[in-house]
Amino acid sequence: MINVLLTAFRYRPGLATALLLLALNVQGETAFEPYTATYKASFNGIPVVITQTLTTTPAGYRVATVAANVLGAIHEQEDFHITDGAILVDAYRHQRSLLGSTRDEQLSVDRSLGVAHYQRDGNPRDIPLKAGYLGPISYKVQLRRDLIAGKTSFDYQVMDRGKVKHYAFQSEGTDTIHTATGAVDAVRVRRVRDDNERQTLFWMAPALGYQLVKLRQEEGGESYELLLTELAVPPIAAAKTAPAIQ
């Protein structure tokens, strides 16, 4: 059984003030405000630290995620911009190095040709673009936007591993996530699948702009869980772009 890690959610000093300032920023959306979130989890008894950042770029936004433990690391990032209120993917990259095995996936979008170019370890594949297509990270940003807008069911077309996949989610109510230092109220969102072999639940906190605070997945009699341990919201003027994956 995969160990379940229960850690305390810890606020950075000044977070409440920062969130209030972001909420009053009429020029942007909470879902697009820069942040650094740190999560901890345990997979087969091995602790994993996951860090995700959202930063601004000259063209739009970048979300970068790093998951690391003693066996290796996974680096993932997506660049996107906003046009007429819609998220438009620009590029995505996933790099994995675990136990000497490496994988490199890239997605680049050419809107002039109406195509997304996908490569995995040098093997190319093209995806014809359609309106509403999101990336493996940006659909989660859109999920936050839709939760903020008050929606309870969610459907996304996601470009993932060279294919377009349908991701569906359903809000199921509100839970209190208990930690050693207190409690966080969060909306429980379930990933809707055609079968029940894998169950994935997300808990998103309204007080934090529907930031993910907990995730739990069950499959084949095993389960794993990750919890938010730290959330930093920098001043808007001080936010910097996360370095690109090389």
Side-chain angles (χ1 to χ4, degrees), residues 28-40:
E29 292 185 41
T30 301
F32 298 131
E33 300 300 349
Y35 67 82
T36 298
T38 303
Y39 301 87
K40 288 186 178 180

Side-chain angles (χ1 to χ4, degrees), residues 100-114:
S101 175
T102 61
R103 175 182 293 179
D104 189 354
E105 297 181 45
Q106 298 184 56
L107 181 77
S108 60
V109 175
D110 188 335
R111 299 197 178 277
S112 65
L113 297 178

